Amino acid sequence: MDDEIETRRLNNWVSEPHEKLREGIASLLSRWIGLQMAVENQWGGQDSVHKSHQLGADIFCWISQSKGRLHLEDIENLLHETMLFSFNTEIEDGSIEEVAEQLMIMHEEYMHATY
């Protein structure tokens, strides 16, 4: 019985940082006006909502599977290319850099929580 409780506790400890990361990414992307405008206006076509969810999933995988330090420029490039190629949108308001900085913070927090 004690082994079962300990296993559950360890599983919750391991999954908690993942859930916080997933929620943080979803929250950040939902507040990104450029992305939300692209989705609402279907600049990426009828599957714009799916594309925005895919962006969140891609970011989550990238951060959660990263063993080392991510580079801000790489995250900025991912965001820029996704907006350009998936949503036919060029973002020049500085928000890509702001979102990338927030993602870097999330990455650092995630790394401290899991290692």
Side-chain angles (χ1 to χ4, degrees):
M1 185 69 138
D2 289 335
D3 289 339
E4 185 179 322
I5 292 170
E6 182 66 15
T7 299
R8 255 192 245 143
R9 188 180 69 76
L10 287 173
N11 286 341
N12 286 339
W13 180 79
V14 169
S15 66
E16 186 177 327
H18 278 65
E19 285 308 310
K20 285 184 177 183
L21 177 62
R22 191 181 316 274
E23 290 170 5
I25 291 168
S27 176
L28 178 63
L29 295 180
S30 74
R31 294 188 318 268
W32 185 13
I33 294 171
L35 176 60
Q36 294 311 309
M37 286 178 58
V39 170
E40 288 172 19
N41 293 299
Q42 295 188 344
W43 294 341
Q46 292 181 348
D47 61 343
S48 291
V49 171
H50 172 73
K51 288 178 179 180
S52 71
H53 291 166
Q54 186 60 52
L55 174 60
D58 292 345
I59 292 168
F60 173 79
C61 286
W62 195 19
I63 290 175
S64 66
Q65 294 176 5
S66 164
K67 299 296 182 205
R69 181 149 168 72
L70 295 179
H71 298 279
L72 183 62
E73 297 80 22
D74 293 336
I75 296 174
E76 289 174 356
N77 288 338
L78 171 68
L79 297 173
H80 175 74
E81 288 177 6
T82 299
M83 293 305 293
L84 186 60
F85 297 123
S86 295
F87 295 99
N88 301 310
T89 303
E90 185 77 37
I91 303 286
E92 297 179 353
D93 64 355
S95 64
I96 285 178
E97 293 79 9
E98 292 172 13
V99 170
E101 287 176 16
Q102 291 299 312
L103 290 169
M104 287 293 292
I105 292 168
M106 288 180 195
H107 174 257
E108 293 298 321
E109 291 172 352
Y110 176 78
M111 293 297 285
H112 289 298
T114 57
Y115 293 105

